[in-house]
Amino acid sequence: MRRLAWIGAVTAAIAASLAPHGAALAQDEPGGNAMGGPEISSGHHQGDHQGPIGPYLSAAELRNWPQGSRRPTPERLVRQRTAEIFAAAGVPCEIIAAHNPGETRRRKDIYEVACREGPGYMVVAEEDPAILNCLHLAATEEALRAVDASRPVTSLCLLDQNKDAAASLRPLAASINPACAVDQAAWIGRVGEDQDRYEIGCAGGDGLWLQTPINRTDVTRSFSCLDLIALGEACKFTTGAEQAATVASWLPEGGAACAADGARVVGVADGARYYELSCGAGPGMMLRLTPEGRFDQAWPCAQATGIAGGCKLARAEP
C-alpha cells in the first residue's frame, strides 16, 4: 500500500473533528486546572471555615438545621427564589429538588437545588448572588481533604441528587456519545476563566472529557480518552480494556477475529483516523476510520509497516 505522508507527531496531527466525540484537539490542549492542583484551592478557600464566597455554615452545621428558633425557607419558596436568580443569570436548570440548608454568617440565605440535567447548585442569596456548581464544590473538598483529612468541610451540597455525578452528567454525555453508559463522572478542572471540565466514564467503553461554559449545560468541547492518552493525559475512569473494546467494536461483523486487549491512536492523515489494535496472542491490526468516523479498512500488522512506523502494541506475525 502507498506509504502515508505522516503529519508530524500525533499531538500536532489531530486536527480533524474527533469521531465520535466532537471537538478537535489543539497541540497545547487540554490544559486547565486538574483536580487537586494548587490553583483549585488558592482563591477558593482561605482558612479553616472559608467557602468560595467567604465564611458560612459547615456541612456538619447544616445537617443540624434548623438551629434555635430559626426555620428553613419552605421548598416552594426556595424553588421560586432560585428560579428567579437562575433566570437573571441565564443558568439553565429544571429544578427537581430544593432546600434551604442554612445561611452565611452574614445572614444571607443559602439555597441548594438539584437540576434535571447537569450539576446542581448552591446559591447564596446576596445582592449579587453566588451560584456554585455542586460537582466543583465536591471535587474541591475532596482535593483539600486529601491534603489534610482533619480539615473541616466548608462547602458541600447535601441533596442526594447532587451527590450522583454520573446521573447529573448523563444527559450531557449522551449529547456527544449516545452509546456511553455513564458509570462514573466528576468535575476535574476549570479551563481559563469561563469553562468547566468533566470526566465521564462509560461502562465497557472508551470514556471522554467534556467542557461546558461555567453554570451551563451546552458542551463546547469534548475529547475521547484514547486521544487524551496520545496527548500524555490520563482518564481515571477508563481502563485499557475498555478502550480496546471500543476500537474492536468498529470492526465489521464477519471480519478478522480479534481478542482485543490493547489499543492506541496512531494519528490522522487526509482527515482519516488510524488506530492500532492488539489481539492477545494473535497478530494485531491497524484500522482506518473515515473523517466521519465510520470504519473504512483494516490491515494485519504485517501489512501495516508503512503506516506511521507500523504496529507498536501488537504482534505482526502469527
Side-chain angles (χ1 to χ4, degrees):
M1 61 176 294
R2 177 177 63 86
R3 185 179 181 86
L4 293 176
W6 209 252
I7 312 174
V10 68
T11 53
I14 302 176
S17 294
L18 293 183
H21 296 312
L25 298 178
Q27 187 170 2
D28 60 350
E29 288 288 345
N33 297 343
M35 187 177 77
E39 292 183 63
I40 286 182
S41 56
S42 64
H44 289 276
H45 293 264
Q46 303 292 334
D48 284 347
H49 293 283
Q50 296 284 327
I53 42 73
Y56 61 92
L57 299 178
S58 70
E61 291 173 306
L62 299 182
R63 290 189 182 96
N64 293 326
W65 182 273
Q67 299 174 33
S69 61
R70 296 187 58 84
R71 296 179 181 274
T73 302
E75 180 176 357
R76 175 183 60 81
L77 292 179
V78 174
R79 286 173 175 258
Q80 177 183 323
R81 292 172 185 175
T82 52
E84 291 170 354
I85 290 171
F86 289 159
V91 175
C93 176
E94 181 184 345
I95 299 172
I96 59 173
H99 74 141
N100 168 214
E103 62 182 8
T104 71
R105 298 192 190 281
R106 298 188 297 272
R107 299 296 185 185
K108 301 297 183 181
D109 274 335
I110 300 170
Y111 303 133
E112 182 190 347
V113 298
C115 307
R116 188 168 301 282
E117 295 186 3
Y121 300 99
M122 186 178 289
V123 178
V124 182
E126 300 179 306
E127 184 175 347
D128 182 15
I131 302 173
L132 309 171
N133 180 322
C134 286
L135 298 184
H136 181 182
L137 293 177
T140 302
E141 289 291 347
E142 180 182 345
L144 292 170
R145 290 179 65 79
V147 175
D148 179 6
S150 65
R151 181 185 182 281
V153 174
T154 59
S155 51
L156 196 64
C157 294
L158 305 177
L159 289 171
D160 288 342
Q161 296 92 330
N162 288 338
K163 297 176 184 178
D164 190 344
S168 296
L169 297 177
R170 195 165 285 128
L172 279 65
S175 71
I176 303 300
N177 180 10
C180 174
V182 179
D183 58 359
Q184 291 177 283
W187 181 97
I188 58 170
R190 182 144 288 169
V191 184
E193 297 182 355
D194 61 353
Q195 296 273 310
D196 279 324
R197 177 172 290 154
Y198 304 94
E199 181 177 344
I200 307 294
C202 303
D206 192 30
L208 63 155
W209 286 4
L210 302 177
Q211 284 179 205
T212 69
I214 292 174
N215 296 343
R216 301 291 190 276
T217 54
D218 48 311
V219 178
T220 55
R221 301 200 72 180
S222 62
F223 310 90
S224 77
C225 288
L226 271 165
D227 283 299
L228 288 165
I229 287 176
L231 293 172
E233 299 287 351
C235 290
K236 69 177 184 178
F237 299 148
T238 299
T239 67
E242 287 176 322
Q243 294 181 328
T246 292
V247 175
S249 72
W250 301 336
L251 294 170
E253 292 185 12
C258 176
D261 63 354
R264 72 179 178 97
V265 174
V266 177
V268 178
D270 298 328
R273 300 178 64 79
Y274 292 76
Y275 298 83
E276 180 187 352
L277 185 64
S278 62
C279 303
M285 62 182 71
M286 196 81 75
L287 285 71
R288 181 170 68 199
L289 301 185
T290 67
E292 295 75 30
R294 296 189 296 272
F295 175 82
D296 182 33
Q297 193 169 352
W299 303 268
C301 283
Q303 299 175 20
T305 56
I307 303 176
C311 294
K312 302 185 186 306
L313 298 176
R315 297 176 63 222
E317 299 290 343

